[in-house]
Structures are given as structure tokens and as C-alpha cells.
Amino acid sequence: MATDVAERAYVWDRFVRLHHWSLAGLVLVNYFVLEGPAHRWAGYAALGLVCARLVWGVVGSPYARFAAFLPTPARLRAYLARPGVAPRGHNPLGATMVLAMLALVIALGVTGWLMRTDAWWGEEWLEDLHEALGNGLLACAGLHVTGVVVASLKWRINLPRAMLSGYKLRTARSAPFEERRAQKQD
């Protein structure tokens, strides 16, 4: 660990990190590489990962729980009122993107499955919708990466490293972390 670390906050548990990188890899490989049955099964695997994340969002570690980061109007106002303070978990804009991407993966899984059923086989509008959802997911992923880079530079906290190690490391030059809430456990 670097000697200039002013504060070390454990934020992302192993499940969240494994889920994040596994889902990112599946989405990229499925969009750019896979076709046919491999594409379908990778899509089902991605849908399974999202279902597991939904469960973990209820029973998981404090920063993984949806209740800790749902982007409410009050949280958005508080975030915008403290522009020089880094959140320990997701900021409301990042949380919105997380929820959007999870919803898109679910919609992709459902439309992909429907295309294989007798009732919807060969429906062009469904295939067009599935493709549009895939393009939307890729666009959201690009915005997500851009947001991570911008936030990392703004707060001087290496967010990709945090998603690898689980720890957000704040140096003397970084933005301070938000105050801990009494109900949170680190």
C-alpha cells in the first residue's frame, strides 16, 4: 500500500467485483464476438448474473445493497450540494447508470428468449428491439466508463483500482469521503 494513503475505505465486496467484471466481459464478448448458440448461452449467463446481483442487492454487503444507493431526489440534491466530496459507494448518477444497465441486460435476456419461442419466432420487430437494446447497453457502458474516468480525475481516486481491490484509496490530494452514516458497517 502506498505511503501517501490518507484513508482506505472498503466498498466493493468480492461478489460485486466478480459480478462487475464477469458481466462486462460477457457483454463485450457477446456483442462483438459470439454468434448463434454461443451468443444465446452467453446472454442467458449474463441474465443469470443480473438475477444474482438483484438478490445481492437485497442481502449483500452494505454498499452493494440497493437501499444504500438508490438515486432518490434527496440523494441527488445532497450529492450536488457537495461537489468536492467523494461518495464512498456509488454517486446518484452512477447508481442510475447501474440500474439502467441491469434493466437493459434483463430486457436483452427476455427479448433473446422470446425470439426462440414459437409465438415470436422470426418476428422482425423483436429482433430489431433486441438489437436496439444491445446498442443501448453498449452506449450506456461507454457512458459508464466515461463517468468513471471523469469521477476518478475529479476526486483523484482511482475508481477502476477500487473495483479490482474493493478499496477506495484517498490520498492527501484526493477529495474527502462523505461522512459515514451510523447504520453503515465497513
Side-chain angles (χ1 to χ4, degrees):
M1 181 165 53
T3 58
D4 65 339
V5 172
E7 188 174 357
R8 185 174 185 242
Y10 185 69
V11 179
W12 310 124
D13 63 60
R14 282 189 180 132
F15 177 85
V16 168
R17 296 188 323 257
L18 182 61
H19 172 270
H20 176 271
W21 295 113
S22 298
L23 188 58
L26 272 173
V27 166
L28 290 174
V29 168
N30 216 13
Y31 189 90
F32 291 110
V33 177
L34 299 179
E35 295 179 7
H39 174 85
R40 183 172 54 255
W41 288 107
Y44 293 152
L47 182 59
L49 278 173
V50 170
C51 289
R53 179 62 180 96
L54 294 177
V55 171
W56 197 246
V58 175
V59 301
S61 63
Y63 292 106
R65 293 181 188 166
F66 296 125
F69 70 86
L70 283 177
T72 65
R75 286 182 176 154
L76 184 58
R77 280 191 302 276
Y79 171 71
L80 294 173
R82 301 180 323 251
V85 177
R88 289 181 184 272
H90 286 102
N91 68 61
L93 302 176
T96 300
M97 186 58 73
V98 168
L99 296 173
M101 289 191 291
L102 293 176
L104 283 166
V105 172
I106 291 169
L108 279 160
V110 169
T111 57
W113 172 75
L114 285 173
M115 289 190 304
R116 301 286 301 168
T117 64
D118 289 340
W120 303 101
W121 177 264
E123 290 288 337
E124 191 172 326
W125 69 267
L126 187 59
E127 292 176 20
D128 292 343
L129 175 60
H130 186 76
E131 185 177 343
L133 291 167
N135 291 336
L137 179 59
L138 199 63
C140 284
L143 287 172
H144 169 67
V145 170
T146 301
V148 166
V149 169
V150 168
S152 292
L153 294 172
K154 173 183 173 183
W155 296 315
R156 294 183 178 183
I157 296 172
N158 188 332
L159 296 177
R161 182 190 319 165
M163 191 48 77
L164 289 169
S165 70
Y167 291 91
K168 282 188 177 180
L169 304 177
R170 191 181 75 73
T171 68
R173 294 177 26 220
S174 301
F177 286 135
E178 67 188 354
E179 292 297 318
R180 292 179 197 255
R181 294 190 181 120
Q183 73 271 20
K184 300 251 180 174
Q185 304 164 5
D186 284 345

